[in-house]
């Protein structure tokens, strides 16, 4: 309801330190009546036209003078930004983790174009019957799927690889024959056995195209446009649903293209569950904090407008929605409510002390008292996200940092403008949490506030023990940091019981693997790959790779040449070797192209026979495994392979994954150091005290080290999910320390302030507000634990843990330091024993 502005201001007599006034004229609707003279006596309630007012005071009086205008402006801004939401699009490709101009991505793009490679959809037909897939029904299913895949819009019909599309190379009385393994599905089991025999004697396809035990057959389908992976994956699932399965036949769909497609629908479903739950949790906590409808709905309105506007801006800026962006609305909901909680706490405390104040008086006074600390905490939170944005080399994390920074700033703008305007429009209401008490005394809080008293008593009674416990946690953190391993995997994003994870596990058990690392082989001149010396070096490279325990198989043009040499010698296995004459090599390629499709080798060699691809097949995409393979490959290339005549370089999907994962440790270190430096500098400047700034930073240092202890001793990887926690935890966790330090310093300014009384009074008021701030943030991030995206679950757990550590360390360590010596918070004791600060107005 809209409140009347005709309220008596005789409540001003109850303001502490106020000079009495007899002016009780009503306040007019424009808020500028001379009746405001009754507010002059307190620095919080001056006439907005008074020349001695600060800029903040004048702005607040101006905002609350025209609350409807502010409300309309905020609504129009939100609608304008939200109008871009239909333009928002997803990018779930692994490429998204590497900047578009990074040399590795540029080379990979050129490599894929040259050899026609992409992230394939892998479809497997599996049959555990006596004949495996080599029975008429299963082979007919392989042929049917291969043919039907050609009709899916984003599948390249020329790049479908299966038993139904590949050629056999065999020997005849005349020399070499090139013919399809399966021109038509077999009519009987005898024909199926003939196909088995041909495939199993072709070393290149055994383990790659068919399972080593014959229990499965693969179909690899390349996409034309990787951005359409989700639609393509959905179309393949529809195709699989209507496939004519034979007895014991099962179909699995996986592969790097399928991972991107599955992730698209996965995060859609995840977002539709996470965001409403997060919003509901925040609303319930806000209601519990104040037990009033406006106390729940007004913060909810702030965070809803913030999340909507931030995602809208992302769409207008044409920045895609990445996997980790799924956490952004949840993060903004949890963060955006914090300032509103503090403001409403002050508002309701003022309403309990001064029941005769107008809505506008309450809103302006509450906002002015808290403007400085909430602006500082907003700045430090933004500093945390800024450090993430500028230190992250991976675009998803960089954009997460920038747009979270914008969202935090937007929440602050709405809090300092829209919230006071809304409170001005509504009639004053008291919260049942705060009782009306004698004028000029502190409000009495409910059981939630009193519950923190034991925490305070412990910190005040055992300050040295509190400090010792913090030091022990710090030592454990250093030890834990030394145990952390950098590792990640794209498949780890999914729950273990998801169909795509089950499919990946099945295929990697039966086949050589579903993950690929490519080596780009370059020679100076056309047809240099006809030279036996170069071919033998590639063969030696493959032999070296085959000895690596994590390499399942390799494939190159060398394997086809060896099969041709064998077929030209009566299929004698002893002749499975390279020809030693470059003219014979050229003749083999010419002979093959006359009988088969010359494009069969496009994925392994270029038209001029100057460039080649050596494809390495692996069963794992974990960074730890990739690093071992790539380190070994690069060492061999540098020492035994590269030279003027031939050169090799890693590329492809596996190498791109290695590149972005290898940046995780650097990003973590840079973001931690930068965010710590920024928040400490802001704290020192804000408190105008080096000691106070450093003391304020101590709880957050303990927090980061505490999470490191959890990660190191808990076996948690430093990965895409956990690397972001530190910068965010520093930016958020410092808020508790800032509010605690600010309140302690303000209370100690009171005349004849008694240290024990001041410290004890910290917990019922500021402590209670911080408690609900902690709960909203911890439970807001805790909502991510119900995410089905594993990386978001880990992210939510680590940030929630960091917030908990920040809350408890701030409310225990800082009072303990003050108990030992107020100087540790930058408070000097004068001759009279009264603590003193650098000059600052009481209104601060």
């Amino acid at each position: 309801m809209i409140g009347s502005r005709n309220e008596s201001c005789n409540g001003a007599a109850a303001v502490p330190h106020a000079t009495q006034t007899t002016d009780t004229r009503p306040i007019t609707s424009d808020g500028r009546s001379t009746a405001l003279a009754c507010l002059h006596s307190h620095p919080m309630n001056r006439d907005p036209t008074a020349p001695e007012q600060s800029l903040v005071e004048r702005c607040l009086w101006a905002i609350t003078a025209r609350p409807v205008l502010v409300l309309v402006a905020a609504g129009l801004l939100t609608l304008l930004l939200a109008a871009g939401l239909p333009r928002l699009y997803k990018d779930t490709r692994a490429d998204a983790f590497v900047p578009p101009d990074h040399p590795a991505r540029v080379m990979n793009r050129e490599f894929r174009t040259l050899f026609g490679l992409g992230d394939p959809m892998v479809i497997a037909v599996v049959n555990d019957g006596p004949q495996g897939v080599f029975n008429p029904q299963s082979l007919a299913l392989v042929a049917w799927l291969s043919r039907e895949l050609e009709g899916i819009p984003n599948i390249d019909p020329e790049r479908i690889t299966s038993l139904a599309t590949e050629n056999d190379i065999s020997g005849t009385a005349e020399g070499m024959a090139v013919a399809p393994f399966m021109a038509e599905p077999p009519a009987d089991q005898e024909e199926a056995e003939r196909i088995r025999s041909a495939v199993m004697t072709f070393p290149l396809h055994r383990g790659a195209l068919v399972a080593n035990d014959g229990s499965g057959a693969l179909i690899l389908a390349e996409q034309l446009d990787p951005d359409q992976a989700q639609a393509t994956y959905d179309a393949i699932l529809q195709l699989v649903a209507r496939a004519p399965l034979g007895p014991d036949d099962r179909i699995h769909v996986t592969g790097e293209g399928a991972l991107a497609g599955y992730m698209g629908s996965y995060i859609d479903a995840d977002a539709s569950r996470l965001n409403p739950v997060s919003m509901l949790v925040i609303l319930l906590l806000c209601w519990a904090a104040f037990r009033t409808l406006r106390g729940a709905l007004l913060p909810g309105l702030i965070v809803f407008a913030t999340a909507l506007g931030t995602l809208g801006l992302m769409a207008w800026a044409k920045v895609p929605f990445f996997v980790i962006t799924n956490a952004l609305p949840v993060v903004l909901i949890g963060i955006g409510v914090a300032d509103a909680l503090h403001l409403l706490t002050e508002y309701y405390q003022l309403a309990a002390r001064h029941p005769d104040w107008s809505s506008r008086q309450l809103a302006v006074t509450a906002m002015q008292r808290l403007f400085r600390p909430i602006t500082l905490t907003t700045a430090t939170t933004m500093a945390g996200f800024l450090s993430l944005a500028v230190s992250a080399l991976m675009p998803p994390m960089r954009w997460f940092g920038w747009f979270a920074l914008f969202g935090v700033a937007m929440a602050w703008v709405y809090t300092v403008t829209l919230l006071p305007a809304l409170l001005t429009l509504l009639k004053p209401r008291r919260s049942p949490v705060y009782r009306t008490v004698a004028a000029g005394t502190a409000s009495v809080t409910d059981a939630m506030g009193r519950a923190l008293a034991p925490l305070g008593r412990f910190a005040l009674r055992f300050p040295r023990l509190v400090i010792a416990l913090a030091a022990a946690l710090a030592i454990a953190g250093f030890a834990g940091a030394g145990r952390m391993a950098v590792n990640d995997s794209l498949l780890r994003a999914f729950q273990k019981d998801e169909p795509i994870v089950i499919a990946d596990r099945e295929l990697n058990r039966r086949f050589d693997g579903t993950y690929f690392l490519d080596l780009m082989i370059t020679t100076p001149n056309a047809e240099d790959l006809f030279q036996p010396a170069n071919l033998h070096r590639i063969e030696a490279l493959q032999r070296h790779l085959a000895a690596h325990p994590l390499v399942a198989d390799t494939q190159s043009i060398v394997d086809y040449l060896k099969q041709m040499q064998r077929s030209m010698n009566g299929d004698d296995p002893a002749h499975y070797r390279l020809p030693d004459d470059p003219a014979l090599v050229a003749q083999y390629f010419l002979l093959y192209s006359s009988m088969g499709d010359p494009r069969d080798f496009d994925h392994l060699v270029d038209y001029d026979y100057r460039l080649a691809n050596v494809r390495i097949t692996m069963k794992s995409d974990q960074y730890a495994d990739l690093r071992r393979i790539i380190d070994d490959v690069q060492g061999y290339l540098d020492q035994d392979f590269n030279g003027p005549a031939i050169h090799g370089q890693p590329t492809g999907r596996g190498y791109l994954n290695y590149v972005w994962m290898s940046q995780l440790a650097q990003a973590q270190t840079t973001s931690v150091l930068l965010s710590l430096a920024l928040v400490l500098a802001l704290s020192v400047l804000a408190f105008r005290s080096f000691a106070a700034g450093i003391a304020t930073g101590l709880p957050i240092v303990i927090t980061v080290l505490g999470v490191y202890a959890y990660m190191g001793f808990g076996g948690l990887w430093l990965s895409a999910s956990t690397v972001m926690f530190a910068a965010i935890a520093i930016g958020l966790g410092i808020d508790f320390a800032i509010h605690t330090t600010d309140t302690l310093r303000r209370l100690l300014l009171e005349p004849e302030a008694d240290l024990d009384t001041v410290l004890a009074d910290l917990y019922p008021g500021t402590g209670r507000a911080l408690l609900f701030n902690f709960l909203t943030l911890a439970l807001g991030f805790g909502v991510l634990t119900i995410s089905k995206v594993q990386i978001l679950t880990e992210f939510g757990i680590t940030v929630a843990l960091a917030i908990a550590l920040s809350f408890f360390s701030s409310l225990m360590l800082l009072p303990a330091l003050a108990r030992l010596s107020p100087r540790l918070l930058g408070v000097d004791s004068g001759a009279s024993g009264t603590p003193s600060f650098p000059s600052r107005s009481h209104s601060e």
Side-chain angles (χ1 to χ4, degrees):
M1 295 178 62
I2 305 298
S4 170
R5 311 285 179 85
N6 301 348
E7 302 170 31
S8 171
C9 59
N10 55 17
V15 180
H17 315 298
T19 303
Q20 299 294 329
T21 179
T22 57
D23 190 344
T24 57
R25 287 171 288 175
I27 301 176
T28 59
S29 59
D30 65 0
R32 292 185 178 275
S33 167
T34 55
L36 287 174
C38 68
L39 305 178
H40 291 177
S41 56
H42 192 270
M44 294 297 170
N45 302 308
R46 301 188 186 113
D47 188 331
T49 62
E52 69 275 11
Q53 279 192 312
S54 68
L55 176 62
V56 171
E57 288 177 275
R58 292 197 298 273
C59 289
L60 289 172
W61 284 111
I63 288 168
T64 54
R66 295 175 177 81
V68 174
L69 180 62
V70 173
L71 181 61
V72 171
L76 289 176
L77 174 62
T78 305
L79 290 175
L80 175 64
L81 292 173
L85 285 175
R87 300 167 178 259
L88 195 61
Y89 66 99
K90 296 188 295 292
D91 187 352
T92 56
R93 300 172 301 156
D95 284 13
F97 284 90
V98 181
D101 58 349
H102 192 283
R105 187 166 173 184
V106 172
M107 180 182 176
N108 182 65
R109 192 160 52 239
E110 296 172 352
F111 170 80
R112 291 187 173 206
T113 301
L114 177 65
F115 292 105
L117 296 172
D119 291 338
M121 299 285 181
V122 180
I123 301 97
V125 175
V126 173
N127 188 307
D128 287 321
Q131 287 81 34
V133 293
F134 291 103
N135 66 79
Q137 293 84 5
S138 296
L139 293 176
L141 176 60
V142 171
W144 183 87
L145 287 169
S146 302
R147 184 175 62 253
E148 292 296 317
L149 281 168
E150 296 178 2
I152 294 179
N154 192 42
I155 295 296
D156 185 351
E158 303 296 328
R159 297 308 312 276
I160 297 173
T161 304
S162 73
L163 288 176
T165 65
E166 293 303 285
N167 289 326
D168 184 19
I169 303 175
S170 59
T172 66
E174 292 78 19
M176 182 174 72
V178 179
F181 283 111
M182 187 172 64
E184 295 291 337
D188 51 36
Q189 185 59 39
E190 181 179 353
E191 181 65 14
E193 290 298 329
R194 185 200 66 78
I195 296 172
R196 181 204 296 269
S197 177
V199 174
M200 289 304 185
T201 55
F202 200 134
L204 197 64
H205 295 319
R206 192 173 58 243
L209 200 59
V210 296
N212 286 302
D213 62 357
S215 64
L218 291 183
I219 306 169
L220 283 77
E222 297 283 357
Q223 301 176 87
L224 294 169
D225 181 3
D227 291 336
Q228 302 299 317
Q230 183 175 346
T232 307
Y233 177 73
D234 291 342
I236 290 176
L237 291 184
Q238 294 174 15
L239 176 65
V240 168
R242 58 186 178 87
L245 298 178
D248 300 321
D249 283 340
R250 302 194 310 278
I251 300 177
H252 295 292
V253 182
T254 186
E256 291 163 343
L259 284 177
Y262 195 85
M263 181 62 78
S265 56
Y266 203 66
I267 64 175
D268 286 344
D270 209 49
S272 65
R273 180 177 62 256
L274 289 181
N275 295 335
V277 171
S278 178
M279 195 67 167
L280 179 61
V281 167
I282 295 301
L283 290 175
L284 290 175
L285 282 172
C286 289
W287 182 87
F290 307 113
R291 296 180 207 161
T292 65
L293 189 60
R294 74 177 64 176
L297 296 183
L298 295 186
L301 178 64
I302 297 292
V303 297
F304 180 75
T306 297
L308 208 62
T310 303
L311 293 179
L313 180 66
M314 182 180 292
W316 284 117
K318 299 181 180 179
V319 174
F321 194 90
F322 302 104
V323 175
I324 62 174
T325 312
N326 225 30
L328 185 59
V330 176
V331 169
L332 292 177
I333 289 171
I335 294 174
V337 77
D339 289 342
L341 273 174
H342 285 287
L343 178 60
L344 287 171
T345 296
E346 187 71 20
Y347 171 88
Y348 282 123
Q349 284 181 329
L350 287 171
R353 291 191 186 106
H354 310 295
D356 295 328
W357 279 16
S358 68
S359 298
R360 190 180 179 198
Q361 286 174 264
L362 293 171
V364 171
T365 305
M367 186 69 256
Q368 187 178 345
R369 287 187 177 181
L370 290 178
F371 182 83
R372 184 170 133 328
I374 69 171
T375 301
L376 177 57
T377 54
T378 296
T380 54
T381 301
M382 292 173 64
F385 286 117
L386 176 64
S387 67
L388 179 65
V390 300
S391 64
L393 301 177
M394 292 160 281
M397 294 183 183
R398 186 187 308 155
W399 287 120
F400 186 97
W402 283 120
F403 283 99
L405 184 152
F406 170 82
V408 171
M410 193 174 183
W412 176 84
V413 170
Y414 282 148
T415 301
V416 301
T417 59
L418 180 60
L419 192 52
L422 288 170
L423 289 174
T424 300
L425 287 172
L426 297 169
K427 287 184 177 180
R429 285 288 185 272
R430 291 205 299 268
S431 165
V433 170
Y434 301 96
R435 299 203 309 263
T436 303
V437 294
T441 64
S443 301
V444 178
T445 59
D446 63 352
M448 293 293 287
R450 294 191 296 273
L452 293 174
L455 197 68
R457 286 195 294 269
F458 183 86
L460 298 179
R461 186 176 179 184
F462 306 107
R464 288 182 174 80
L465 178 59
V466 170
I467 295 171
L469 291 173
L473 185 58
I475 294 171
F478 282 113
R483 297 169 61 95
M484 286 192 303
V486 178
N487 202 6
D488 212 340
S489 164
L490 291 175
L491 194 69
R492 201 173 61 89
F494 305 102
Q495 300 288 333
K496 293 181 179 180
D497 59 349
E498 291 295 328
I500 198 164
V501 177
I502 296 172
D504 184 85
R505 188 164 56 243
E506 277 289 297
L507 268 62
N508 279 290
R509 181 173 66 85
R510 297 173 186 270
F511 298 87
D512 285 341
T514 59
Y515 301 102
F516 304 108
L517 171 68
D518 296 291
L519 302 179
M520 174 79 156
I521 308 299
T522 307
T523 59
N525 306 305
E527 299 186 354
D528 272 355
L529 290 175
F530 289 168
Q531 299 300 319
N534 288 334
L535 293 172
H536 280 293
R537 292 178 78 171
I538 295 174
E539 182 184 35
L541 170 62
Q542 289 184 258
R543 191 161 49 245
H544 173 81
L545 291 169
H548 197 288
L550 296 175
V551 172
D553 192 21
T554 64
Q555 186 182 104
S556 77
I557 197 64
V558 164
D559 300 297
Y560 280 98
L561 283 169
K562 286 168 29 173
Q563 181 69 14
M564 292 181 203
Q565 174 81 345
R566 172 182 169 176
S567 67
M568 292 295 288
N569 290 273
D571 282 332
D572 183 357
H575 287 274
Y576 188 74
R577 61 174 184 262
L578 285 167
D580 291 326
D581 184 352
L584 189 56
V585 173
Q587 183 180 350
Y588 282 169
F589 281 122
L590 181 63
L591 185 61
Y592 185 97
S593 64
S594 67
M595 292 184 289
D597 190 340
R599 295 174 296 180
D600 286 350
F601 303 137
D602 284 354
H603 65 297
L604 294 174
V605 69
D606 74 329
Y607 179 79
D608 293 328
Y609 294 94
R610 186 179 71 86
L611 306 173
N613 172 29
V614 176
R615 170 150 282 195
I616 302 169
T617 306
M618 307 166 294
K619 294 180 180 290
S620 168
D621 70 334
Q622 287 189 17
Y623 169 72
D625 295 335
L626 283 172
R627 183 179 60 187
R628 289 177 59 189
I629 295 172
I630 290 174
D631 286 349
D632 180 74
V633 168
Q634 193 63 60
Y636 182 87
L637 292 175
D638 292 340
Q639 296 177 19
D640 302 301
F641 188 86
N642 291 341
I646 194 167
H647 183 274
Q649 182 175 347
T651 187
R653 164 62 51 227
Y655 187 67
L656 276 185
N657 290 346
Y658 165 83
V659 167
W660 72 260
M661 291 179 193
S662 64
Q663 298 170 354
L664 293 173
Q666 178 186 345
Q668 171 78 347
T669 302
T670 306
S671 65
V672 167
L673 294 178
L674 182 58
S675 55
L676 270 177
L678 287 173
V679 298
L680 287 176
L682 286 170
S683 298
V684 169
L685 290 173
F687 293 119
R688 286 168 285 184
S689 165
F690 183 78
I694 297 301
T696 302
L698 282 178
I700 202 60
V701 173
I702 299 300
T703 292
V704 173
L705 291 173
V707 177
Y708 282 166
Y710 162 73
M711 291 175 59
F713 292 102
L716 211 61
W717 294 341
L718 184 61
S719 62
S721 59
T722 56
V723 74
M724 296 193 302
F725 97 87
I728 296 173
I730 291 170
L732 292 177
I734 197 72
D735 294 2
F736 300 110
I738 287 172
H739 279 291
T740 302
T741 302
D742 185 78
T743 303
L744 284 172
R745 288 165 60 90
R746 177 164 52 84
L747 290 173
L748 289 169
L749 273 175
E750 297 293 337
E752 306 300 329
D754 175 71
L755 186 59
D756 288 343
T757 303
V758 165
L759 295 178
D761 286 347
L762 166 73
Y763 294 92
T766 299
R768 184 183 188 279
L770 291 178
L771 173 63
F772 278 96
N773 189 0
F774 154 64
L775 291 174
T776 54
L777 286 173
L779 292 179
F781 280 94
V783 168
L784 292 174
T785 60
I786 68 171
S787 171
K788 299 190 73 176
V789 181
Q790 185 66 22
I791 58 176
L792 296 185
T793 300
E794 288 186 355
F795 173 66
I797 290 173
T798 51
V799 176
L801 174 62
I803 290 168
L805 288 173
S806 298
F807 170 73
F808 286 107
S809 60
S810 296
L811 283 183
M812 295 191 72
L813 182 59
L814 291 173
L817 292 173
R819 185 69 183 84
L820 290 179
S821 173
R823 290 177 181 272
L824 295 174
L825 296 184
V827 182
D828 294 325
S829 296
S832 64
T834 302
S836 62
F837 290 105
S839 176
R840 186 172 62 156
S841 70
H842 180 71
S843 63
E844 294 177 334

